Amino acid sequence: MSNFTPTGTFELGRRPVHRLGYGAMQLAGPGVFGPPKDRDAAIAVLREAVASGIDHIDTSDFYGPHVTNQIIREALHPYRDDLVIVTKLGAVRGEDGGWLPAMEPEDLRRGVHDNLRNLGLDTLDVVNMRIMGNIHSPAEGSIEKQVTALAELQREGLVRHIGLSNVTVNQIAEAQGIAKIVCIQNHYNLVHREDDTLIDELASQGIAYVPFFPLGGFTPIQSSELSTVAQTIGATPMQVALAWLLHRAPNILLIPGTSSLAHLRENMQAAQLRLSDAVLAELDAIGPANGEH
Ligand SMILES: NC(=O)c1ccc[n+]([C@@H]2O[C@H](COP(=O)([O-])OP(=O)(O)OC[C@H]3O[C@@H](n4cnc5c(N)ncnc54)[C@H](OP(=O)(O)O)[C@@H]3O)[C@@H](O)[C@H]2O)c1
């Protein structure tokens, strides 16, 4: 077996959180734009997540836009003291639902105030600076202006902790010269492992790594090898994909997204799955086999 338990907690900003959290992006309408088909169902998912012990929710005011944060507020405000809500800045939505970069200091200030208002908070726990890069993958370039602007908002007491999203190793180093960085949120999952070295480096620094698209995102991971392993150990492929991430490194925090109570329950059970060394080796081989390593 691997040498740490896949459950437990890891530090995220002001407190340790359980390693399995919840990503709220799926609660907006189709294409993460507009209201969901069933608002009551979205509220039920959030309430059950928190009642079941989830203490880390990932969101953004550009989901909807505004819709996801407003649903979180309606479902959970006043928030439990132990709930860490992480949001992100860096984009706004076009009238057609497009994702438009909004990374100037005045955009970030406006974004912080939008999040505070729609979530009903005086201070945001953790704010990820989402660099737009090549949309789903990072691209090199200075992020000094953005991190400096966030550090100023932190000094003003509007932001407690700063994280980064969709960033390169060089950008993380540059940001660390300006402010304390508590988490990195990049694209990573069983079949998309470009950040393998980065994850281990962040673990040695005690920094949380929060993969986005942990289940593959808009097109959940499909792999016959994954399905075979899942069947062998009596779990679902999505549970195994999440359990693999929990075993991968102790600083990985999960935020699988779902609009479904059934999927929420299924995903939460992944925290209990123990994967043997033999199973981990089979799963480790899937990424390279899919040619996405
Ligand atoms: N920083 C960034 O740039 C960035 C980008 C994307 C996402 N994020 C964050 O990361 C979180 C997770 O990403 P994500 O939601 O895009 O992708 P994901 O967690 O990889 O996958 C979500 C998709 O998987 C489906 N799903 C969830 N559980 C399932 C299960 N047990 N069985 C079958 N299908 C299942 C969901 O559909 P159902 O709704 O039908 O369950 C949805 O289509 C988001 O909520 C967001 O907070 C951040």
Side-chain angles (χ1 to χ4, degrees):
M1 300 294 288
S2 57
N3 59 2
F4 63 89
T5 21
T7 50
T9 60
F10 194 83
E11 194 83 15
L12 179 62
R14 70 187 159 97
R15 61 183 300 278
V17 295
H18 289 116
R19 294 192 56 218
L20 203 141
Y22 173 74
M25 189 173 90
Q26 305 295 336
L27 297 183
V32 199
F33 198 55
K37 271 192 228 104
D38 187 344
R39 191 181 174 94
D40 290 344
I43 287 174
V45 166
L46 284 163
R47 289 190 176 150
E48 177 155 330
V50 170
S52 306
I54 282 180
D55 53 9
H56 166 204
I57 293 179
D58 189 82
T59 185
S60 173
D61 209 59
F62 51 69
Y63 297 158
H66 317 303
V67 171
T68 298
N69 279 349
Q70 289 167 355
I71 292 176
I72 291 173
R73 180 181 185 160
E74 183 178 342
L76 303 176
H77 195 278
Y79 302 111
R80 283 168 51 155
D81 285 347
D82 63 354
L83 180 65
V84 174
I85 298 179
V86 179
T87 190
K88 64 185 78 65
L89 306 174
V92 291
R93 306 300 292 278
E95 284 181 9
D96 59 352
W99 304 77
L100 311 175
M103 302 201 294
E104 292 301 316
E106 60 270 25
D107 298 323
L108 304 182
R109 180 170 292 277
R110 196 178 314 114
V112 162
H113 284 286
D114 285 345
N115 275 281
L116 288 169
R117 185 179 61 256
N118 286 313
L119 286 168
L121 289 168
D122 296 324
T123 306
L124 299 172
D125 268 338
V126 183
V127 174
N128 281 324
M129 182 60 233
R130 208 293 186 182
I131 301 300
M132 291 309 277
N134 298 324
I135 304 296
H136 288 315
S137 62
E140 292 294 356
S142 175
I143 60 170
E144 181 186 354
K145 184 163 62 170
Q146 288 76 24
V147 179
T148 302
L150 266 187
E152 175 57 29
L153 290 158
Q154 187 178 39
R155 272 191 295 277
E156 292 175 25
L158 301 175
V159 170
R160 258 190 212 104
H161 298 282
I162 299 172
L164 302 172
S165 177
N166 204 36
V167 282
T168 67
V169 170
N170 291 334
Q171 288 167 333
I172 295 169
E174 182 187 37
Q176 287 179 314
I178 301 167
K180 183 179 176 194
I181 301 300
V182 301
C183 56
I184 301 297
Q185 186 175 116
N186 278 3
H187 185 180
Y188 183 82
N189 59 44
L190 186 61
V191 298
H192 189 100
R193 300 197 205 159
E194 280 163 25
D195 274 354
D196 267 331
T197 309
L198 174 62
I199 289 169
D200 297 332
E201 168 56 28
L202 294 173
S204 73
Q205 294 185 41
I207 296 176
Y209 183 89
V210 189
F212 73 76
F213 294 159
L215 297 173
F218 294 104
T219 313
I221 300 169
Q222 291 184 8
S223 150
S224 54
E225 296 96 328
L226 173 61
S227 299
T228 305
V229 169
Q231 202 171 15
T232 311
I233 65 174
T236 69
M238 295 299 109
Q239 287 174 325
V240 176
L242 293 175
W244 177 82
L245 284 166
L246 290 173
H247 284 72
R248 170 60 187 78
N251 60 324
I252 288 187
L253 295 175
L254 297 187
I255 49 165
T258 182
S259 54
S260 139
L261 271 179
H263 286 167
L264 173 73
R265 292 170 188 152
E266 179 183 327
N267 296 345
M268 288 192 68
Q269 284 168 7
Q272 311 306 325
L273 268 187
R274 301 296 153 96
L275 305 179
S276 68
D277 284 344
V279 164
L280 286 172
E282 278 183 69
L283 294 171
D284 284 343
I286 289 178
N290 278 268
E292 290 198 40
H293 196 104

